[in-house]
Amino acid sequence: MSARPTLRQQLFRRKPLHSFESDATDGGLRRTVGPFQLTMIGIGATIGTGIFFLLSAAVPEAGPAVIVSLAIAAAAAALTALCYAELASAVPVSGSSYSYAYATLGEFPAWAVGWCLLLEYAVSGAAIAVSWGQYLNDLTERLFAFRMPEALSAPPGAGGVVNLPGVVLVALCCLLLVRGAKESALINTVMVLVKLGVLALFVVVGATGFDSGNLQPFAPLGLAGISTAAATVFFAFIGLDAVSTAGDEVRDPRRTLPLAIVGALVVVTTAYVLVAVVGVGAQPWTAFEGQEAGLSAILADITGSGRPAVLLSAGAVLSIVSVTLVVLYGQSRILYTMGRDGMLPAAFHRVGRRSGTPVFATLLTGAFVAVLAAVFPLDLLTDLTSMGTLAAFTVVSLGVLILRRTAPGLERRFRVPGHPVIPVLSILACGWLMYELPLGTYVLFGGWLALSLAVYLLYSRKNSQLEADAPTLEPASCRNGKSRSSGGGVCRRIDVESEGRP
């Protein structure tokens, strides 16, 4: 009589490291992305996610001390980026922290992280789409004295009925992604270069209006305000995770992934700090609250002319497209990987013959993000994204500690310096930023995780590829954790609980 693995063994079985490498060469996705394009993906998913509109939400929480909040969030992101770089060089596959958790923590933790990533990418994509409508309205008003009616350009709760521009943006990005990863990466690179040029314009022109008096009082809401704003602006660093979702489509991933992660972090942090310093120095901190298309408005006030503001709004409209593009790309690749592992239906793993892209996963991602963008207000979306991001970042840092212990001889092109101090500091920093999020975010996040547990128990654990491959225990005929092979009377050793140990 055969005995099935216990529920505990199923929950924490780990995917063998050699399986990740064989999956990456299964002929599904195509390796067409190089180091520069991958770095642009990281920058594209990050710059624009926050800096074009997040100052309007964060400055009222901390005042000019938002600069400190940004530095704190950047430090936490840097700690985690180093951990991402090591895991990406050791497990160079698609799926990001979902795959890393599968190799180190087990199946259900990986599943929960996957759900956190879906929340992170879907909600951030929706938040970006909401902000795109703001800059689009600002641009059309400056050029043509026309604004789309509020009912069609803002979600419920923000004065509108439906955010139509956000829906259109998501649809266009989905069409591009379905066409192919190489084409998408090329267009993203062009848009990122435009984005960096626009931010450079803001820094140069905005610096002419810098007034140190606007930095007083520096921290009007005290340490509590700085902490709250740090948790809010951490939302602006989620793009670093997007780099590691491209593992199956990158050439020489063990080298390229860590280089792109660290390179994107350096560029993004530099740009954020410069823009924040110039922004809070150019106008009183009280003027940021409720300010739409804030960077454009600052330039218009400084120059007294609409031309620089028009250029910035046009650049923002174009560059925010790149953020949406990469966010949808990242989520569709995570769904693809989960489908390959049997955690989701096989349709998510299917790849189009001509495009070499996961068409079903991309279209479903787009539909979900479009609905969120159409009906949810921006502030709720940003806090939920921060929660999902911080949970995933914590798991990555923990994964470095575990994999160093369980697979010390594994090839790593990059190693976290100061191990184990850096991963531990990363975990503590993420935990602190989570603590600063409002209670309502915890309630919604808890509901999301409860839903993930229900789906896992009802579908994923039964259809997991590890479940299909797992041998059946035969305690009646074998001892000490051995199982009789299907071919006859030879017992072979298995250990379901430690499945995935190298």
Side-chain angles (χ1 to χ4, degrees):
M1 180 177 178
S2 298
R4 301 300 300 168
T6 65
L7 178 60
R8 178 179 179 277
Q9 290 172 329
Q10 289 179 318
L11 290 174
F12 296 101
R13 57 192 172 191
R14 289 182 287 231
K15 186 174 178 179
L17 292 174
H18 64 79
S19 296
F20 287 101
E21 295 190 10
S22 62
D23 286 345
T25 57
D26 66 356
L29 301 178
R30 300 170 185 170
R31 295 195 180 278
T32 58
V33 180
F36 180 72
Q37 288 180 320
L38 187 61
T39 303
M40 292 297 104
I41 285 176
I43 297 172
T46 310
I47 293 181
T49 304
I51 203 62
F52 278 107
F53 65 93
L54 201 59
L55 287 181
S56 299
V59 174
E61 295 176 336
V66 72
I67 299 170
V68 178
S69 302
L70 194 59
I72 292 172
L79 293 172
T80 309
L82 294 174
C83 296
Y84 262 104
E86 175 166 327
L87 286 186
S89 71
V91 189
V93 295
S94 291
S96 185
S97 46
Y98 158 77
S99 294
Y100 306 151
Y102 215 162
T104 57
L105 299 177
E107 186 168 276
F108 179 70
W111 170 255
V113 169
W115 273 68
C116 288
L117 291 173
L118 298 183
L119 180 67
E120 170 190 335
Y121 281 95
V123 175
S124 65
I128 298 157
V130 171
S131 71
W132 188 69
Q134 295 177 2
Y135 273 98
L136 184 63
N137 257 340
D138 181 76
L139 178 62
T140 56
E141 185 173 26
R142 293 182 186 280
L143 287 176
F144 312 113
F146 167 78
R147 285 180 66 89
M148 187 176 294
E150 197 75 12
L152 297 178
S153 60
V161 176
V162 62
N163 178 22
L164 186 59
V167 175
V168 173
L169 171 63
V170 172
L172 292 175
C173 289
C174 279
L175 291 176
L176 178 58
L177 287 171
V178 166
R179 182 171 179 81
K182 184 177 181 180
E183 294 82 355
S184 300
L186 177 61
I187 292 176
N188 172 72
T189 298
V190 173
M191 289 190 288
V192 168
L193 294 176
V194 170
K195 181 186 309 187
L196 293 175
V198 165
L199 291 179
L201 170 70
F202 174 81
V203 170
V204 172
V205 177
T208 63
F210 187 89
D211 181 359
S212 59
N214 289 330
L215 301 180
Q216 302 297 328
F218 185 69
L221 300 174
L223 183 60
I226 293 173
S227 300
T228 301
T232 299
V233 300
F234 193 80
F235 164 81
F237 287 92
I238 69 162
L240 299 175
D241 182 271
V243 174
S244 58
T245 65
D248 287 2
E249 295 167 280
V250 175
R251 298 190 294 268
D252 191 9
R254 290 188 186 276
R255 174 180 177 274
T256 301
L257 286 169
L259 279 177
I261 290 170
V262 175
L265 174 68
V266 171
V267 173
V268 165
T269 301
T270 301
Y272 278 5
V273 170
L274 289 175
V275 170
V277 169
V278 170
V280 297
Q283 72 174 14
W285 71 274
T286 52
F288 281 89
E289 187 166 9
Q291 188 177 51
E292 292 190 0
L295 302 189
S296 175
I298 290 172
L299 284 190
D301 290 340
I302 290 174
T303 62
S305 168
R307 290 184 179 179
V310 167
L311 286 176
L312 192 135
S313 286
V317 166
L318 180 61
S319 63
I320 290 175
V321 174
S322 75
V323 188
T324 309
L325 182 70
V326 176
V327 165
L328 294 175
Y329 169 85
Q331 184 175 7
S332 65
R333 268 47 179 185
I334 292 168
L335 290 172
Y336 167 86
T337 306
M338 296 173 78
R340 180 171 62 191
D341 291 337
M343 306 294 279
L344 291 174
F348 289 94
H349 182 232
R350 294 197 188 110
V351 173
R353 288 185 180 180
R354 293 185 178 180
S355 64
T357 60
V359 177
F360 177 78
T362 301
L363 295 179
L364 187 65
T365 295
F368 183 47
V369 172
V371 170
L372 290 179
V375 300
F376 281 93
L378 184 61
D379 54 352
L380 176 63
L381 295 176
T382 56
D383 284 339
L384 273 175
T385 301
S386 292
M387 177 64 85
T389 303
L390 288 165
F393 280 15
T394 301
V395 168
V396 168
S397 303
L398 185 60
V400 170
L401 296 173
I402 293 174
L403 206 58
R404 281 284 188 103
R405 188 168 183 178
T406 60
L410 185 66
E411 180 186 359
R412 295 171 173 86
R413 295 281 187 92
F414 178 88
R415 287 177 175 267
V416 173
H419 178 275
V421 176
I422 295 298
V424 171
L425 288 177
S426 176
I427 293 170
L428 293 175
C430 290
W432 175 57
L433 291 172
M434 279 185 186
Y435 176 77
E436 294 297 331
L437 291 171
L439 179 61
T441 304
Y442 279 88
V443 173
L444 291 173
F445 186 67
W448 181 254
L449 288 183
L451 179 60
S452 78
L453 176 61
V455 175
Y456 175 79
L457 293 176
L458 293 175
Y459 178 85
S460 301
R461 73 184 179 99
K462 300 175 183 178
N463 294 277
S464 164
Q465 190 61 46
L466 290 187
E467 178 71 14
D469 295 341
T472 303
L473 297 177
E474 299 183 32
S477 57
C478 297
R479 297 180 180 178
N480 299 324
K482 293 183 178 180
S483 173
R484 191 173 304 281
S485 66
S486 58
V490 179
C491 289
R492 58 190 180 86
R493 181 166 183 80
I494 63 168
D495 186 352
V496 179
E497 186 174 335
S498 61
E499 180 73 40
R501 285 186 189 274

